[in-house]
């Protein structure tokens, strides 16, 4: 009976932390780290300030949990594709799947892009954390890019880094500045062209 009660308590704690982390993502994405407060996050999550302190202790600890969750979403979507790519030689097809996966995760979760961009605009402990983990994944994808480049003339003009920057500009820019994106689309002779370029970079 004691074991069952302890297990239930642990499960409830895990659910509460997950809920707080999800709410904190939106607070950080909307307000930025410096402007966001633990009370803002607690209010969004519908918990007391004391409960939030109990589970995380500090604002930086909450942010770290949020960043880990964002990076985990990208890893869960992209790394299985990379693992499959090592078992066959159709590198270009695998690389296209990686690109589509990156775009899909970003567009389905706009706060992800906002959080990552906010933390890469100035050097600090948080930006170093994001860059370390995000670039590690980028470097792994680099091996796949180099192999895919041998199978596609369209990739010849890029390096792994320049392609990634192009992908970020087509994916993150519309999420960071939706009003500008809508304005450009409204005045374009082909409103679907922008979306097509974003989703069909290769």
């Amino acid at each position: 009976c004691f074991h069952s009660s302890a297990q239930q308590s642990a499960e409830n704690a895990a659910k509460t932390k997950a809920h707080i982390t999800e709410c904190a993502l939106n607070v950080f994405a909307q307000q930025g780290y410096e402007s966001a407060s633990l009370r803002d996050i607690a209010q969004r999550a519908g918990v007391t300030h004391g409960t939030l302190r109990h589970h995380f202790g500090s604002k930086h600890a909450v942010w770290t949990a949020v960043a880990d969750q964002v990076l985990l979403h990208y890893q869960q979507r992209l790394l299985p594709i990379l693992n499959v790519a090592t078992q066959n030689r159709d590198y270009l097809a695998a690389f296209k799947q990686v690109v589509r996966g990156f775009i899909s995760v970003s567009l389905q979760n706009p706060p992800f892009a906002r959080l990552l961009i906010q933390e890469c605009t100035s050097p600090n402990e948080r930006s170093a954390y994001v860059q370390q983990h995000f670039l590690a994944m980028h470097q792994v994808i680099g091996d796949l890019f180099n192999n895919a480049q041998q199978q596609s003339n369209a990739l010849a003009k890029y390096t792994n880094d320049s392609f990634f920057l192009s992908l970020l500009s087509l994916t993150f820019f519309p999420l960071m500045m939706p009003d500008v994106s809508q304005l450009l689309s409204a005045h374009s002779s082909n409103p679907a062209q922008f979306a097509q370029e974003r989703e069909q970079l290769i």
Side-chain angles (χ1 to χ4, degrees), residues 70 73-81 93-109 112 134 137 141 167 171-172 198-199 202:
V70 169
H73 270 82
Y74 280 101
Q75 292 171 0
Q76 288 177 333
R77 184 64 180 269
L78 303 184
L79 293 184
I81 300 173
F95 186 68
K96 288 182 177 180
Q97 290 181 16
V98 167
V99 171
R100 294 189 186 104
F102 179 87
I103 293 173
S104 177
V105 171
S106 300
L107 296 186
Q108 291 173 7
N109 304 276
F112 288 5
F134 207 70
M137 186 166 56
I141 294 174
L167 179 61
T171 305
F172 280 14
R198 183 174 60 193
E199 296 178 4
I202 300 179

Side-chain angles (χ1 to χ4, degrees), residues 3 21 24 44 68 72 81 87 93 110 130 144 147 156 165 188:
H3 176 73
T21 301
R44 178 71 67 91
D68 287 345
L72 180 62
I81 300 173
Q87 301 174 15
V130 169
L144 177 59
N147 287 319
L165 289 174
S188 172

Side-chain angles (χ1 to χ4, degrees), residues 6-198:
Q7 182 179 6
Q8 185 176 8
S9 178
E11 291 175 352
N12 290 337
K15 289 179 180 179
T16 299
K17 290 187 68 172
H19 175 64
I20 293 173
T21 301
E22 181 180 352
C23 294
L25 167 62
N26 291 295
V27 173
F28 286 132
Q30 292 171 3
Q31 301 183 23
Y33 180 84
E34 299 299 338
S35 297
S37 70
L38 287 179
R39 294 193 182 279
D40 292 333
I41 297 170
Q43 183 176 12
R44 178 71 67 91
V47 300
T48 65
H49 183 261
T51 297
L52 193 150
R53 282 280 190 184
H54 170 74
H55 287 291
F56 291 96
S58 68
K59 183 168 75 169
H60 188 268
V62 179
W63 180 89
T64 301
V66 169
D68 287 345
Q69 188 65 32
V70 169
L71 294 167
L72 180 62
H73 270 82
Y74 280 101
Q75 292 171 0
Q76 288 177 333
R77 184 64 180 269
L78 303 184
L79 293 184
I81 300 173
L82 295 173
N83 292 334
V84 171
T86 62
Q87 301 174 15
N88 60 63
R89 305 186 68 84
D90 195 354
Y91 302 115
L92 181 58
F95 186 68
K96 288 182 177 180
Q97 290 181 16
V98 167
V99 171
R100 294 189 186 104
F102 179 87
I103 293 173
S104 177
V105 171
S106 300
L107 296 186
Q108 291 173 7
N109 304 276
F112 288 5
R114 297 189 186 102
L115 181 83
L116 294 174
I117 291 296
Q118 285 173 355
E119 300 305 339
C120 290
T121 54
S122 59
N124 54 51
E125 183 181 2
R126 300 185 308 279
S127 65
Y129 188 86
V130 169
Q131 291 172 18
Q132 176 185 355
H133 290 78
F134 207 70
L135 289 179
M137 186 166 56
H138 170 59
Q139 291 169 358
V140 173
I141 294 174
D143 293 333
L144 177 59
F145 172 86
N146 292 333
N147 287 319
Q149 194 176 43
Q150 304 303 315
Q151 299 178 354
S152 172
N153 293 330
L155 292 176
K157 61 184 178 181
Y158 295 102
T159 64
N160 184 38
D161 291 343
S162 66
F163 184 90
F164 184 61
L165 289 174
S166 299
L167 179 61
L168 286 178
S169 67
L170 287 171
T171 305
F172 280 14
F173 178 83
L175 299 177
M176 295 299 298
M177 305 184 69
D179 292 341
V180 174
S181 301
Q182 293 173 6
L183 178 65
L184 293 175
S185 296
H187 287 77
S188 172
S189 59
N190 183 3
Q193 182 177 356
F194 186 78
Q196 291 175 350
E197 290 178 352
R198 183 174 60 193

